[in-house]
Amino acid sequence: MTAYSATLAIDEELRARRRAGEKVLHLGFGEAGLPVPAAVAAELAEAAGRNGYGPVAGSPEARAAAAGFFARRGLATEPEQVLFAPGSKALLYALILALPGDVVLPRPSWVSYAAQAALAGKRTLGVPVPAEAGGVPDPDLLARALRDAPDAGMLVLTVPDNPTGTVARPDHVGAVCEVAGRHGLAIIADEIYGELVHSGARAPSPAEYLPERTVVTTGLSKSMALGGWRIGCARLPAGAWGERLHAELTGIASEIWSSLAAPMQAVAAHVLAEPPAIREHIAAARRLHGAVARAVHAEFTAAGVNCRPPEAGFYLYPDFEPLRPRLARQGIDTGAALAAALLNRHGVGVLPGEAFGDAPEALRVRVATSLLYGDTDARRWESLRSDSPAGLPWVAGSLAHLRDALTALRG
Amino acid sequence: MTAYSATLAIDEELRARRRAGEKVLHLGFGEAGLPVPAAVAAELAEAAGRNGYGPVAGSPEARAAAAGFFARRGLATEPEQVLFAPGSKALLYALILALPGDVVLPRPSWVSYAAQAALAGKRTLGVPVPAEAGGVPDPDLLARALRDAPDAGMLVLTVPDNPTGTVARPDHVGAVCEVAGRHGLAIIADEIYGELVHSGARAPSPAEYLPERTVVTTGLSKSMALGGWRIGCARLPAGAWGERLHAELTGIASEIWSSLAAPMQAVAAHVLAEPPAIREHIAAARRLHGAVARAVHAEFTAAGVNCRPPEAGFYLYPDFEPLRPRLARQGIDTGAALAAALLNRHGVGVLPGEAFGDAPEALRVRVATSLLYGDTDARRWESLRSDSPAGLPWVAGSLAHLRDALTALRG
């Protein structure tokens, strides 16, 4: 039985609780809760006449725009290396299906990699991430794990990372790519949060370190908050290996989803060309995500919880280990029990680390901060334009709710 | 290696040949070549603000509209039985992946069923269709085949059918469902052409005959010519078996594509509610598809080729067997050689029956007639409104091209 994606499931549950009148703080879901800019909505409307199937990999315009997007990030790209799909999730599944061998994952890592591997009939092997940042396994532990894993075929790296909200350092990415290359692995580089490094810096791409064997996936769900539009794209490496894999992926795409909806391809062509208004919009989103993630982080550390400082996206991965004795007295001794107590006793919805492949007994949860920007488009726009969004009443109110919950949880 | 879907591949090839200046008659691809009504385009534009992921199965509005759509066709349906996806193709894949056992297919049948089964690691078993109509195997041959196929788990039925453009009779569907039920098979009823029976009659649904084990898939790609918008939907049966399968499918959906794009769900909610303008548009499309398919059919029969009369959709499945001696003298002795000769010597693009699982030596090809309605939206609207579309210059010109090709091929 394929379990419903844990992140999508908690989103539906928390929304249902709210509809039923419960006061719930929604820290469970990585939906970038921001409105659609008018110019982007207009692109969709203008493309409504496009009802033909078109090429499976995407229109020439969309693929050229994506090639330009990658080239501006130091990855020279031909349009023929690009493949669009209804979400980067679909591309990740197709990659796991297409590439030979078992799947090596950072631990913790995003909920769907392991589920997709199971659907594709593949085994997974989790390798812990270091303390500094998530999304990339510890290189020494990776090398050791691969010695006993002759069937390993691919390594998934998430830079920037979900669930930890951190960005692996270049030397760390380089060291892991070196190990992967030595073992003949392919790398799937999930860069869906690539535009959301809070400092505005460029995250290191594995494609810089193992260029001929790294596939990059990205999309507009996070940077542009267009998760509900399902726009994903992949960059295959140049060269014979990449060409064969592109053909294989396009074949899989042609038999599962045919193509990304044509009006959505028009939107992608517009956004990935990065006109000034798009750059400014994403820069404002980046500032907002950073400010609110830092404010939430401060609540956790003030409560005595360990937590890596947020660097990108809108996630935190607090570790309640320092509170273990206090929590044990309340019957809380696993991440799942912790998440359940936070939700049922304190009205705070988060996901246990176990959903991300972490050890069940670890007192870690994944916290998403992107649904705090307001319940109306007017508030979301105000959050986006604010110099101190954590002080806006609806954000401050959520922070107070969290503070009270953590205080009560400490007992 | 997953081959690129044959229908999508020939579409890209024929369009590339045209761009290169070749005069090619495009009879290769089942894209319903009609424009988007203004009211439907407006629905998409109005839904541009919907950028949240939403429920995996679809919004309450879209699911309620789909439930009403099915109920008006005699299949009482609760919204909870419905699941939307980016195309019914994605749902067919998820079904083949989710249901246990091997896949029994009519022979010939649509190109993607067997390819999807291969992707899902399943075997397929083709059972010939009778002479009267395609999409449903001969019941006696099915019963015989199942005696030697203990691992068969599901049967795909296509009513109305692609590639034959015919509609199985109710007693035939009933007999096959009876055999399937006796063997404990699940039925996947692909009803994507259900709205396009030329007479306006209702095609028999397998869900009427094996209600507790039949899943119906449909979408807006054919009836509304919205193939490039990727809107598909499934109706799961009521009862425990259907509920479990719905949960399993939703789980798979949550890990591969998350949800149908929210603006597309809004379009689905509008269209499936069937306001009068939508009904009239589909009725006009149905008349056009019938008139042009009959005119193309007349060209094949005039050339001495056997062909079932078209009853639904926009396909013909001519059998050149009566011309075998003449074709043999030109070195044509397979369906693939016939399709190649038609394209390379006579500028007519069709697909060989082999792509649909038919015997390679059979001189059968699949002919799609839906791209003859004009190369501009103005011409397509004129075709749609015409009382005798086969007489419009662009349609008549294509018919003349086909006539000349068949005359030359006869030698």
Side-chain angles (χ1 to χ4, degrees):
Chain A
M1 185 80 186
T2 305
Y4 204 87
S5 154
T7 55
L8 292 165
I10 195 172
D11 182 49
E12 294 193 33
E13 172 170 355
L14 296 181
R15 288 180 200 269
R17 285 184 180 231
R18 282 186 171 181
R19 277 194 301 274
E22 256 184 76
K23 187 167 173 275
V24 178
L25 188 61
H26 194 336
L27 300 176
F29 188 46
E31 176 167 289
L34 292 171
V36 181
V40 174
E43 285 294 328
L44 183 68
E46 277 163 34
R50 303 191 190 190
N51 60 330
Y53 289 79
V56 170
S59 69
E61 297 74 24
R63 295 170 77 185
F69 171 90
F70 288 114
R72 285 189 293 280
R73 281 145 186 82
L75 299 173
T77 307
E78 296 297 324
E80 291 67 32
Q81 291 170 250
V82 175
L83 175 63
F84 279 90
S88 63
K89 187 184 270 188
L91 291 163
L92 291 163
Y93 173 70
L95 280 163
I96 289 173
L97 196 59
L99 289 165
D102 292 339
V103 185
V104 185
L105 298 176
R107 188 167 148 198
S109 59
W110 180 54
V111 298
S112 289
Y113 305 134
Q116 293 184 334
L119 273 180
K122 309 233 171 177
R123 283 175 301 190
T124 53
L125 171 67
V127 180
V129 301
E132 311 86 71
V136 175
D138 179 280
D140 295 333
L141 295 181
L142 177 65
R144 203 174 307 161
L146 288 175
R147 264 182 251 144
D148 301 326
D151 295 333
M154 69 199 91
L155 169 66
V156 179
L157 302 178
T158 318
V159 189
D161 184 39
N162 170 16
T164 65
T166 57
V167 185
R169 302 292 169 269
D171 60 341
H172 178 194
V173 174
V176 160
C177 289
E178 199 275 321
V179 175
R182 198 154 17 97
H183 284 81
L185 301 186
I187 291 181
I188 299 174
D190 181 349
E191 301 186 5
I192 190 85
Y193 299 97
E195 302 309 295
L196 297 182
V197 180
H198 301 153
S199 68
R202 182 82 31 237
S205 173
E208 300 164 42
Y209 299 91
L210 193 64
E212 69 285 4
R213 300 267 292 175
T214 297
V215 182
V216 177
T217 64
T218 186
L220 306 190
S221 296
K222 308 304 176 183
S223 61
M224 290 296 297
L226 292 175
W229 288 20
R230 314 304 308 122
I231 300 173
C233 127
R235 176 196 181 272
L236 280 287
W241 186 86
E243 283 170 27
R244 273 200 312 276
L245 184 57
H246 190 282
E248 173 72 16
L249 286 178
T250 313
I252 292 172
S254 78
E255 301 296 10
I256 303 184
W257 61 78
S258 296
S259 57
L260 171 60
M264 297 304 176
Q265 292 188 41
V267 170
H270 171 77
V271 170
L272 294 175
E274 299 180 282
I278 293 291
R279 289 175 195 255
E280 286 157 26
H281 182 76
I282 293 174
R286 192 185 289 141
R287 284 192 300 271
L288 172 60
H289 297 316
V292 174
R294 283 190 297 274
V296 175
H297 180 259
E299 299 297 342
F300 282 103
T301 53
V305 175
N306 287 338
C307 191
R308 295 179 184 86
E311 297 174 322
F314 26 72
Y315 302 112
L316 299 167
Y317 198 66
D319 186 342
F320 287 66
E321 191 60 33
L323 305 186
R324 185 176 285 277
R326 293 170 186 240
L327 295 174
R329 287 198 289 278
Q330 304 171 50
I332 299 169
D333 55 2
T334 65
L338 175 58
L342 279 167
L343 179 57
N344 297 320
R345 301 183 205 165
H346 308 290
V348 175
V350 299
L351 278 173
E354 190 179 357
F356 299 82
D358 210 339
E361 66 278 12
L363 293 172
R364 290 187 278 268
V365 297
R366 203 280 309 259
V367 173
T369 59
S370 53
L371 290 174
L372 301 181
Y373 309 148
D375 285 338
T376 63
D377 273 0
R379 285 187 170 183
R380 293 183 193 115
W381 279 120
E382 201 173 332
S383 296
L384 201 54
R385 286 163 184 155
S386 170
D387 285 335
S388 53
L392 292 168
W394 48 93
V395 183
S398 293
L399 293 170
H401 180 152
L402 176 63
R403 193 177 315 133
D404 293 346
L406 293 173
T407 304
L409 187 74
R410 288 172 56 94
Chain B
M1 185 80 186
T2 304
Y4 204 88
S5 155
T7 55
L8 292 165
I10 194 173
D11 183 48
E12 294 193 31
E13 171 169 357
L14 296 180
R15 288 180 200 268
R17 285 185 182 230
R18 282 185 172 183
R19 277 195 301 276
E22 257 185 74
K23 188 167 173 275
V24 178
L25 188 61
H26 194 335
L27 301 175
F29 188 46
E31 176 167 288
L34 291 170
V36 180
V40 173
E43 285 293 329
L44 184 69
E46 278 163 34
R50 304 191 189 189
N51 60 329
Y53 290 80
V56 171
S59 69
E61 297 74 23
R63 295 170 78 185
F69 171 90
F70 287 114
R72 286 189 293 281
R73 281 146 186 82
L75 299 173
T77 306
E78 296 297 324
E80 290 68 30
Q81 291 171 249
V82 174
L83 174 64
F84 279 90
S88 63
K89 186 183 271 187
L91 292 163
L92 291 164
Y93 174 70
L95 280 163
I96 289 172
L97 197 59
L99 289 165
D102 292 340
V103 185
V104 185
L105 298 175
R107 189 167 146 201
S109 59
W110 180 53
V111 298
S112 289
Y113 305 134
Q116 292 185 334
L119 273 180
K122 309 233 171 178
R123 282 175 301 189
T124 53
L125 171 67
V127 180
V129 301
E132 311 85 72
V136 176
D138 180 280
D140 295 333
L141 295 181
L142 176 64
R144 203 174 307 162
L146 288 175
R147 264 183 252 144
D148 302 325
D151 295 333
M154 69 199 90
L155 168 65
V156 179
L157 302 178
T158 318
V159 188
D161 185 39
N162 169 18
T164 64
T166 57
V167 186
R169 302 292 169 271
D171 60 341
H172 177 195
V173 174
V176 160
C177 288
E178 200 274 322
V179 174
R182 199 154 15 99
H183 284 82
L185 301 187
I187 291 181
I188 300 174
D190 180 350
E191 301 186 4
I192 189 87
Y193 299 97
E195 303 308 296
L196 296 183
V197 180
H198 301 154
S199 68
R202 180 81 36 235
S205 173
E208 300 165 41
Y209 298 92
L210 194 65
E212 69 285 5
R213 298 269 291 175
T214 298
V215 182
V216 177
T217 64
T218 186
L220 306 190
S221 296
K222 309 303 177 182
S223 61
M224 290 297 297
L226 291 175
W229 288 21
R230 315 304 307 124
I231 300 172
C233 133
R235 176 195 181 272
L236 280 286
W241 185 84
E243 281 170 29
R244 273 200 312 276
L245 184 57
H246 191 282
E248 173 71 17
L249 286 178
T250 313
I252 292 172
S254 77
E255 300 297 10
I256 303 184
W257 62 78
S258 295
S259 58
L260 171 61
M264 296 304 176
Q265 293 189 40
V267 169
H270 171 77
V271 170
L272 293 175
E274 300 181 281
I278 294 290
R279 288 175 196 254
E280 286 158 27
H281 182 75
I282 293 175
R286 193 185 288 142
R287 284 192 299 272
L288 172 61
H289 297 318
V292 173
R294 283 190 297 274
V296 175
H297 180 260
E299 299 296 343
F300 281 103
T301 52
V305 174
N306 287 339
C307 191
R308 295 178 184 87
E311 297 174 323
F314 27 72
Y315 302 112
L316 299 167
Y317 198 66
D319 186 342
F320 286 67
E321 190 60 34
L323 305 186
R324 186 176 285 278
R326 291 169 188 241
L327 295 174
R329 287 198 288 277
Q330 302 171 52
I332 299 168
D333 54 2
T334 65
L338 175 58
L342 279 168
L343 179 57
N344 298 321
R345 300 185 205 164
H346 307 290
V348 175
V350 298
L351 279 173
E354 189 179 357
F356 299 83
D358 210 340
E361 66 277 12
L363 293 172
R364 291 187 278 268
V365 296
R366 203 278 311 257
V367 173
T369 58
S370 53
L371 290 175
L372 302 181
Y373 309 148
D375 286 338
T376 63
D377 273 1
R379 286 187 169 184
R380 293 182 193 115
W381 279 119
E382 200 173 334
S383 295
L384 202 54
R385 288 165 182 153
S386 170
D387 285 333
S388 51
L392 291 169
W394 50 92
V395 183
S398 292
L399 292 170
H401 181 153
L402 176 62
R403 193 177 314 135
D404 292 347
L406 293 173
T407 303
L409 187 74
R410 286 174 57 93

